[in-house]
């Protein structure tokens, strides 16, 4: 399908949305930066941050909560009842990468290195011989957090030359401990060097830093690719592409008091390692926020039950586009294509939460937005991944549908999607949140 043919017939977003996605990806090298970027966009249209430790009021308007690398944002239309159902778009802020260990300073043979741990299902080879930066957050003695982003070539994981491994092209095997520690200089190793450097980059005193959550990222910028620039290459599309689309969709509804539902963005951390965290989909954060919103509007447990019973969640995460070099790895009748619109993800063993009712909800949203959509199912002989969808459905008793955008090179340091698919997804999300 050509770019022109895939443009929606209704909705606020066009290719300018994809341009903004590129800026969002660059500004969000860690989950903590991603939620800050999302919050900044929401505040521009009137959303305000509320603290979990404060008492909440029942006023209308846009609000959001940040906990670590997770953000929950919602817009309460004027006159919404306590039992008004929610329309939720779920996503996650984390991506597979290399994360700094508690004692980071190491080295060998005159090289200074940084000790890292493998986070999530990383394609290790994609981190080799790539210019890498460092980002995340520092925690100070007073409990405050400071974001830091060294977005320039700082680190590198050097691959062994082919002259020293003549069989490398017959199968590269990387030891996760010995072969993945990046270099960042030469000379003697001194304990505290890395944190002293990062603290200076953040503008804080290294002696005040008592904790850190730091991770490596590729510093090459997102870029349009191809003769006709029909493709987009960039980092962390899994799953900041969905976080960005959901943020834009929610922001577009600010001030809309005619909505029959309360639209919600729920972007969790730690999906790539199972969601078992206080900021993950298995944690209580989403349920707590939704319940407190009901009670702040004067609702009872009965209102809470009514609201949840009428709620629907779209769990938006990237999926697999058909690969031209490995088509046999895909189901023979389901070949999602880039720029073909968002995908509906189905697995009868509930690795995805979609059922027939959910399919109807998603199809209606896409039809309203004039957006094409596709179906995705894994080949029967290929294990199926999973998302926050089944977790959300089971934990909160909420009807959930798994969707996303089809990409190539999932879990690589740099992924690839169709340049039109991000705004097609965003337009479908607007139609869904509008009800």
């Amino acid at each position: 399908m050509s770019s022109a043919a895939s443009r929606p017939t209704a909705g606020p977003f066009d290719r300018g949305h994809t341009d903004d996605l590129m800026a969002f990806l660059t500004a969000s090298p860690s989950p903590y930066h991603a939620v800050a970027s999302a919050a900044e966009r929401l505040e521009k249209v009137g959303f305000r941050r509320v603290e979990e430790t404060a008492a909440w009021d029942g006023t209308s308007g846009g609000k959001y909560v940040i906990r670590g690398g997770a953000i929950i944002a919602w817009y309460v239309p004027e006159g919404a009842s306590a039992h008004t159902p929610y329309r939720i778009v779920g996503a996650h802020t984390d991506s597979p990468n290399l994360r700094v260990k508690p004692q980071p300073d190491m080295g060998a043979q005159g090289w200074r290195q940084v000790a890292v741990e493998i986070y999530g299902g990383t394609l290790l080879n994609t981190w080799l011989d790539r210019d890498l930066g460092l980002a995340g957050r520092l925690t100070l003695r007073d409990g405050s957090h400071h974001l830091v982003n060294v977005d320039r070539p700082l680190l590198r994981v050097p691959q062994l030359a082919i002259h020293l491994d003549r069989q490398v092209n017959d199968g590269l095997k990387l030891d996760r401990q010995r072969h993945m520690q990046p270099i960042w200089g030469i000379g003697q190793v001194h304990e505290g060097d890395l944190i002293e450097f990062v603290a200076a980059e953040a503008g804080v005193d290294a002696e005040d830093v008592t904790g850190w959550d730091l991770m490596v990222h590729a510093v090459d910028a997102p870029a349009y690719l191809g003769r006709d620039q029909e493709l987009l290459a960039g980092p962390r599309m899994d799953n900041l592409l969905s976080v960005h689309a959901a943020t834009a969709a929610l922001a577009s509804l600010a001030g809309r008091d005619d909505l029959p539902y309360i639209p919600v963005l729920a972007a969790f951390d730690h999906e790539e390692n199972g969601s078992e965290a206080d900021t993950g989909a298995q944690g209580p954060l989403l349920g707590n926020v939704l319940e407190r919103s009901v009670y702040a509007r004067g609702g009872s447990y009965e209102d809470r039950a009514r609201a949840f019973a009428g709620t629907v969640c779209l769990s938006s995460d990237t999926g697999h586009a058909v690969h031209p070099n490995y088509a046999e790895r895909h189901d023979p009748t389901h070949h999602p294509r880039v720029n073909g619109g968002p995908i509906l993800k189905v697995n009868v063993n509930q690795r995805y939460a979609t059922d027939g009712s959910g399919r109807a909800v998603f199809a209606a949203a896409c039809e309203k937005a004039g957006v094409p959509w596709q179906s995705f199912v894994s080949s029967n002989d290929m294990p199926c991944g999973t998302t926050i969808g089944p977790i959300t459905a089971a934990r909160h008793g909420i009807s959930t549908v798994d969707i996303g955008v089809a990409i190539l090179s999932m879990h690589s340091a740099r992924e690839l999607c169709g340049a039109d698919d991000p705004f097609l997804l965003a337009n479908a999300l607007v139609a869904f949140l509008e009800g």
Side-chain angles (χ1 to χ4, degrees):
M1 179 177 294
S2 69
S3 297
S6 64
R7 295 188 182 277
T9 57
F13 302 117
D14 55 19
R15 181 64 78 89
H17 173 88
T18 306
D19 295 337
D20 189 63
L21 169 62
M22 296 166 72
F24 185 84
L25 293 172
T26 300
S28 307
S30 78
Y32 314 108
H33 289 83
V35 298
S37 298
E40 181 182 9
R41 283 164 164 75
L42 292 171
E43 287 189 350
K44 287 181 178 178
V45 294
F47 281 69
R48 62 183 176 88
R49 182 171 181 173
V50 294
E51 299 295 336
E52 291 185 84
T53 54
W56 291 8
D57 58 46
T59 57
S60 59
K63 306 173 186 180
Y64 69 91
V65 165
I66 289 178
R67 182 189 291 186
I71 181 170
I72 311 293
W74 64 104
Y75 181 82
V76 180
E78 186 73 35
S81 68
H83 59 264
T84 299
Y86 299 96
R87 280 285 175 105
I88 304 168
V89 178
H92 66 89
T93 61
D94 59 318
S95 301
N97 57 18
L98 312 178
R99 303 207 171 185
V100 176
K101 289 184 176 181
Q103 297 180 12
D105 298 292
M106 62 175 294
Q109 308 302 321
W111 295 97
R112 297 170 67 193
Q113 295 174 278
V114 174
V116 297
E117 191 172 3
I118 311 301
Y119 178 85
T122 308
L123 275 174
L124 297 179
N125 65 297
T126 67
W127 293 92
L128 303 178
D129 296 333
R130 186 182 292 273
D131 295 338
L132 305 172
L134 195 65
R137 68 176 182 179
L138 302 175
T139 304
L140 306 190
R141 293 184 188 280
D142 62 3
S144 63
H145 300 296
H146 291 259
L147 297 183
V148 61
N149 181 13
V150 185
D151 194 31
R152 62 180 185 273
L154 177 70
L155 306 162
R156 186 180 180 93
V157 183
Q159 187 170 192
L160 186 65
I162 193 170
H163 311 80
L164 304 177
D165 185 4
R166 294 291 184 180
Q167 284 73 49
V168 63
N169 288 325
D170 297 326
L172 174 65
K173 185 172 179 59
L174 295 169
D175 185 288
R176 297 164 69 90
Q177 176 62 39
R178 293 187 297 119
H179 298 155
M180 296 306 298
Q181 310 305 322
I183 60 173
W184 73 307
I186 57 176
Q188 293 295 316
V189 175
H190 300 287
E191 185 177 350
D193 271 0
L194 181 71
I195 299 306
E196 182 176 346
F197 166 78
V198 174
E201 290 286 321
V204 300
D205 192 331
E207 293 184 356
D208 290 334
V209 177
T210 56
W212 53 86
D213 301 279
L214 299 171
M215 58 206 70
V216 169
H217 68 276
V219 299
D220 36 340
Y224 288 110
L225 185 146
R227 185 195 67 178
D228 300 317
Q229 297 192 327
E230 296 172 306
L231 304 171
L232 176 66
R236 300 177 294 281
M237 292 185 186
D238 180 11
N239 186 33
L240 294 188
L241 188 159
S242 295
V243 175
H244 176 259
T247 302
L250 180 60
S252 75
L253 300 178
R256 288 279 304 275
D257 291 326
D258 59 335
L259 301 173
Y261 301 98
I262 295 173
V264 180
L265 158 68
F268 301 100
D269 198 357
H270 296 298
E271 188 273 347
E272 296 293 358
N273 60 5
S275 296
E276 292 184 340
D278 68 320
T279 54
Q282 297 241 36
L285 182 59
L286 176 60
N288 287 349
V289 168
L290 300 183
E291 289 178 353
R292 291 184 68 177
S293 179
V294 169
Y295 299 147
R297 283 176 279 126
S300 62
Y301 182 82
E302 181 72 10
D303 292 312
R304 180 261 187 213
R306 292 174 66 186
F308 276 44
T311 293
V312 182
C313 173
L314 289 189
S315 166
S316 182
D317 202 348
T318 55
H320 302 294
V322 61
H323 198 298
N325 300 334
Y326 301 92
E328 73 281 358
R329 302 295 183 96
H330 301 264
D331 182 85
T333 60
H334 295 80
H335 282 178
R337 300 181 183 276
V338 298
N339 288 336
I343 56 175
L344 179 74
K345 302 160 80 170
V346 177
N347 179 264
V348 295
N349 294 303
Q350 285 296 289
R351 300 291 283 175
Y352 302 132
T354 306
D355 62 10
S357 296
R359 176 188 173 100
V361 169
F362 180 63
C366 290
E367 181 178 357
K368 177 182 177 182
V371 168
W373 61 278
Q374 311 172 79
S375 293
F376 170 83
V377 64
S378 292
S379 176
N380 288 339
D381 57 5
M382 190 70 58
C384 178
T386 191
T387 69
I388 65 167
I391 296 170
T392 303
R395 178 167 181 82
H396 305 294
I398 289 173
S399 176
T400 303
V401 189
D402 273 296
I403 66 162
V405 162
I407 70 172
L408 292 182
S409 306
M410 188 184 294
H411 288 197
S412 169
R414 195 169 176 86
E415 297 162 323
L416 185 72
C417 76
D420 289 347
D421 282 328
F423 73 77
L424 293 174
L425 172 66
N427 280 294
L429 296 184
V430 171
F432 165 74
L433 291 174
E434 286 180 329

